Amino acid sequence: MEPSINELGDIEITDPRTMRALAHPVRLAILERLQRHGPATATELAPDVGATPTVTSWHLRHLAGFGLVRDAEPGPDRRRRRWEAVGTGMRFEPSADPESGDAAHALAQQMFLRYADLPARWITEVEPGLDPAWRRLGGLANTGVTVSADELAAILDGIERLLAPYLTRDAADRPADSRRVRLMRYVLPEAAAPDPETPAHREGPTA
């Protein structure tokens, strides 16, 4: 199934086979590198994704088979084949099918592992070198709210609508002092609270 592109330019993945194809650290690294820095060859990508050019090339062809990357430009020298990401970002959503849920879980797990240390690296490597205005705006928010599933969906939709103008504007329309900012959203619904009518389970000796 060929992924579609939404109005924000993100590739939307619903096919479980595509989710499983992307649930690999090298492939995730390849897609992110192409989305962030633009077209590149396997040789150019290799140092950033932790694989040899030959292995990187194999992963690129695998991603291309699922419509996630494509040839950036035709050229007579296939050894200098340049690749580009399809879409500027990526979204995935499982269906009610168990296979889809398992595939989405595998992809989400790889993404959590990939970005787990990013905040720690930012606070030690990047934040100290920022000027005061950017340091004041950067950082962590940890907010807990009690909402229904429909209300949470409305919150996420509102965030998307707020970001849309900044995601879709042309580079020429960006302010001169703009810079890339990574907005990381961890949406982590907590486990359901125990039923107050159900007695608490207690471990201990029995008579």
Side-chain angles (χ1 to χ4, degrees), residues 33-155:
R33 168 67 166 71
L34 292 175
Q35 288 172 342
R36 183 168 183 174
H37 299 291
T41 66
T43 299
E44 292 167 340
L45 289 167
D48 292 336
V49 303
T52 66
T54 299
V55 171
T56 301
S57 180
W58 183 87
H59 283 300
L60 281 161
R61 292 194 300 273
H62 195 72
L63 290 170
F66 288 93
L68 299 171
V69 303
R70 62 192 173 200
D71 281 306
E73 56 202 32
D77 187 355
R78 302 301 286 176
R79 294 171 298 178
R80 294 285 300 167
R81 188 177 187 181
R82 291 176 64 77
W83 299 85
E84 67 180 3
V86 176
T88 56
M90 180 264 291
R91 309 289 179 93
F92 64 97
E93 185 174 345
S95 67
D97 180 66
E99 181 188 0
S100 178
D102 291 345
H105 175 80
L107 178 52
Q109 185 174 45
Q110 280 298 324
M111 293 182 70
F112 269 83
L113 291 172
R114 174 163 177 76
Y115 301 118
D117 67 338
L118 195 152
R121 287 191 285 112
W122 178 84
I123 198 67
T124 57
E125 301 171 10
V126 179
E127 192 266 354
L130 296 175
D131 59 61
W134 287 103
R135 293 182 75 172
R136 178 176 60 84
L137 293 169
L140 172 71
N142 186 351
T143 304
V145 293
T146 302
V147 294
S148 69
D150 287 342
E151 289 170 331
L152 179 56
I155 291 170

Side-chain angles (χ1 to χ4, degrees), residues 148-196:
S148 69
D150 287 342
E151 289 170 331
L152 179 56
I155 291 170
L156 298 177
D157 181 63
I159 293 171
E160 291 301 312
R161 285 187 278 108
L162 183 65
L163 290 175
Y166 305 100
L167 294 170
T168 57
R169 68 181 173 183
D170 294 333
D173 296 329
R174 298 169 186 164
D177 62 345
S178 63
R179 65 175 66 184
R180 182 178 172 86
V181 176
R182 186 186 293 267
L183 301 175
M184 301 186 71
R185 297 203 308 270
Y186 286 84
V187 181
L188 310 175
E190 298 181 1
D195 187 342

